[in-house]
Amino acid sequence: MKHLDLIVQTLTEQRKTATGDAELIFDTTWALRETFEADGTPLEDAVRIVARVLYDDTLLSFRTVDQGKPER
C-alpha cells in the first residue's frame, strides 16, 4: 500500500490526542490530506484507507497478544 509507513506514523502521533477511533481516523486523514490529494485520492477513499490501516494494526496487535497466551 502506498504511504503505509506515513499513515502508521501519523496514526501513532494522532493517537496521543484522539478520544476515539472516529476522531483518530478523521485527524489522521486530515493530517495527510495533501498527500492523498497529490495522488488524486478522493477524501472518501482516504478515510477508508486510514480506517483499514487502523483496523489491520489493531487486529495484528490482538493476534500478537493472543499468541502469547497458552491454549486451554
Side-chain angles (χ1 to χ4, degrees):
M1 174 184 295
K2 197 170 189 177
H3 308 299
L4 178 60
D5 290 337
L6 183 59
I7 294 169
V8 170
Q9 177 185 357
T10 306
L11 278 168
T12 301
E13 291 170 7
Q14 297 298 327
R15 196 171 292 196
K16 296 173 186 173
T17 57
T19 57
D21 287 349
E23 184 179 353
L24 178 59
I25 292 166
F26 174 81
D27 290 349
T28 300
T29 304
W30 189 253
L32 297 174
R33 71 189 178 284
E34 291 178 3
T35 301
F36 287 120
E37 287 173 359
D39 288 344
T41 303
L43 189 58
E44 295 83 9
D45 291 345
V47 170
R48 287 185 195 100
I49 292 167
V50 170
R52 183 62 192 204
V53 171
L54 175 62
Y55 171 77
D56 288 348
D57 181 53
T58 302
L59 187 60
L60 180 61
S61 296
F62 284 128
R63 285 184 183 162
T64 302
V65 169
D66 288 344
Q67 288 174 358
K69 295 180 181 177
E71 291 186 34
R72 297 180 187 190

